[in-house]
Amino acid sequence: MSAEQTSFSDVPTLLVKIFGKDRPGITAGLFDTLAAYSVDVVDIEQVVTRGRMVLCALVTAPPRALEGDLRATVHSWAESIKMQAEIISGLGDNRPRGLGRSLVTVLGHPLTAEATAAIAAKIAKAGGNIDRIFRLAKYPVTAVEFAVSGVETEPLRTALVTDAGKLGVDVAVVAAGLHRRAQRLVVMDVDSTLIQDEVIELFAAHAGCEDEVAEVTSAAMRGELDFEQSLHARVALLEGLDASVVDKVRSEVRLTPGARTLIRTLKRLGFQVGVVSGGFTQVTDDLQDRLGLDFAQANTLEIVDGKLTGRVTGEIVDRAGKARLLRRFAAEAGVPLSQTVAIGDGANDLDMLNAAGLGVAFNAKPVVREAAHTAVNVPFLDTVLYLLGVTREEVEAADAHEED
């Protein structure tokens, strides 16, 4: 059939809206009723909220002599099932969406009416139109997705992300399109991202120099110190520590809430998952085994005669090194950088976040939140799934399938 034959731009149409208590068979009943008038379907949309349904059907209008009968029949059918009907005459299909299409994900804990109003107003002020709103999750946060057209992604992101923190929400803005779910490699920082701890501070607690190490770590994460110099300075304080402490530190590591769910779900969706860390392979190797990670790279503490020497060996994983490893992992996975996701919290993650197709600042320092593509400031790592369009229901369905 030709494009001219399938176009409804100049054809009289009817918007048939049915609303009321949801139950099985309503959609079938409506279209069975309409079928008697040989109308064609142009568009359909249905929404169910707390058991109340709104079903909209845009159909070609029947011959003028039959339109009154169609209206009466639809209203009678709706009344018979205790629903309400509204029928509006018009011409053609929905108006075309404006150029520039983006998906705006809003995370709230809770998501207030005030914040929602402010986000919607900012979208309108930026020149965008909200085409559709869809809830992705109701816990551990409320996550909703706005499909927006009429404004390019970058200016929309600038308009929405700037004041999101003041509204008590996180806002992510990504370009709409198939590439969103085609992102097939996720690479995470470890300390304060995948896990709740700073590994070197766990080692330092056993060496009795926790305060000194924590002070240097904080300065490095704020970008005030060169990472490699700070790494050597902190590791030097561990000289003489017995190697048996490695097992103790591994047992003390606490995964970030949602970390297992994030990794498990990504793997089921066909993603490859890796970690890069300014910490130590003595911990990341264990995490790789426990979590089934595809890639892992970190610094290595030198151990001689059962003691830590206060030095690291091999290639240093610093800010530039993390971005380099992201590229290496992507090449090994056969995934273009545009289809990668990077997650981190510190200044030494910035190059990696900027190199990835989507860089997510997770409970990050201010300098990182400002530079990353988007930021998540709730303490649940699996909320990153919502930025990829994965719903809570899909996560739970995958978990249930695994248990069967």
Side-chain angles (χ1 to χ4, degrees):
M1 185 176 290
S2 68
E4 289 77 15
Q5 289 175 303
T6 58
S7 172
F8 295 96
S9 58
D10 299 320
V11 175
T13 52
L14 299 177
L15 175 61
V16 182
K17 183 166 69 173
I18 306 297
F19 48 99
K21 186 177 180 181
D22 187 33
R23 66 181 73 87
I26 294 173
T27 303
L30 172 62
F31 285 97
D32 187 52
T33 301
L34 294 172
Y37 298 89
S38 300
V39 299
D40 295 329
V41 177
V42 180
D43 196 5
I44 310 172
E45 188 151 353
Q46 178 175 308
V47 177
V48 178
T49 303
R50 210 179 68 179
R52 309 296 291 184
M53 182 188 78
V54 178
L55 169 61
C56 293
L58 186 63
V59 299
T60 55
R64 187 177 297 275
L66 296 178
E67 184 174 327
D69 189 55
L70 180 151
R71 288 174 176 270
T73 301
V74 169
H75 280 286
S76 177
W77 167 78
E79 184 177 344
S80 72
I81 58 172
K82 296 182 172 56
M83 301 285 282
Q84 292 179 276
E86 180 181 2
I87 304 175
I88 303 171
S89 298
L91 191 66
D93 199 350
N94 305 306
R95 64 182 177 84
R97 294 182 181 181
L99 296 177
R101 298 183 186 180
S102 303
L103 297 171
V104 178
T105 306
V106 181
L107 309 179
H109 189 57
L111 178 59
T112 65
E114 178 184 11
T116 306
I119 293 296
K122 285 177 177 289
I123 291 173
K125 187 175 181 180
N129 183 73
I130 299 172
D131 300 317
R132 187 169 182 261
I133 305 174
F134 177 71
R135 187 179 72 181
L136 295 167
K138 60 183 178 181
Y139 70 91
V141 299
T142 300
V144 294
E145 180 178 274
F146 296 76
V148 177
S149 62
V151 59
E152 295 298 332
T153 299
E154 287 304 323
L156 181 62
R157 179 184 292 127
T158 300
L160 296 180
V161 172
T162 305
D163 296 324
K166 297 177 183 178
L167 298 172
V169 296
D170 294 328
V171 179
V173 183
V174 299
L178 294 175
H179 65 278
R180 188 196 196 190
R181 284 219 179 180
Q183 290 161 324
R184 290 298 176 188
L185 172 67
V186 175
V187 177
M188 288 176 276
D189 173 46
V190 175
D191 294 11
S192 299
T193 300
L194 178 63
I195 66 174
Q196 300 177 59
D197 313 281
E198 292 288 334
V199 168
I200 196 166
E201 293 179 11
L202 297 179
F203 277 101
H206 292 281
C209 57
E210 187 175 14
D211 291 342
E212 297 97 312
V213 165
E215 183 177 347
V216 179
T217 298
S218 296
M221 291 299 100
R222 292 192 300 268
E224 297 171 2
L225 292 176
D226 173 81
F227 178 80
E228 184 171 349
Q229 291 178 336
S230 69
L231 174 67
H232 289 305
R234 288 175 290 173
V235 172
L237 295 170
L238 306 181
E239 182 179 0
L241 195 61
D242 194 275
S244 63
V245 79
V246 169
D247 288 335
K248 296 177 182 178
V249 168
R250 286 176 172 175
S251 68
E252 292 166 352
V253 165
R254 299 167 300 162
L255 291 173
T256 298
R260 288 186 182 277
T261 299
L262 172 67
I263 294 169
R264 181 174 64 245
T265 304
L266 289 172
K267 298 289 286 182
R268 289 175 185 165
L269 290 172
F271 282 66
Q272 296 189 60
V273 184
V275 294
V276 291
S277 176
F280 310 110
T281 56
Q282 281 83 358
V283 170
T284 58
D285 287 351
D286 180 61
L287 290 171
Q288 183 175 17
D289 291 340
R290 287 165 52 193
L291 300 174
L293 301 172
D294 299 286
F295 305 99
Q297 188 68 47
N299 300 300
T300 299
L301 291 169
E302 184 180 64
I303 298 175
V304 176
D305 297 330
K307 301 286 185 180
L308 273 64
T309 66
R311 296 187 295 271
V312 292
T313 63
E315 178 184 3
I316 297 297
V317 179
D318 56 7
R319 175 169 170 166
K322 288 188 173 184
R324 186 169 58 250
L325 287 164
L326 171 68
R327 293 185 176 93
R328 183 191 302 173
F329 294 167
E332 293 178 11
V335 174
L337 278 177
S338 61
Q339 293 180 5
T340 63
V341 179
I343 311 168
D345 74 297
N348 67 330
D349 297 315
L350 275 174
D351 289 2
M352 175 178 72
L353 298 182
N354 290 328
L358 176 64
V360 181
F362 180 73
N363 292 308
K365 314 301 184 288
V367 66
V368 183
R369 290 201 302 269
E370 292 169 7
H373 297 129
T374 189
V376 172
N377 296 299
V378 293
F380 311 107
L381 193 56
D382 53 339
T383 55
V384 172
L385 291 167
Y386 309 144
L387 307 184
L388 303 178
V390 180
T391 68
R392 193 72 200 178
E393 287 77 9
E394 289 174 315
V395 174
E396 293 173 350
D399 286 343
H401 180 72
E402 185 76 5
E403 293 171 0
D404 289 345

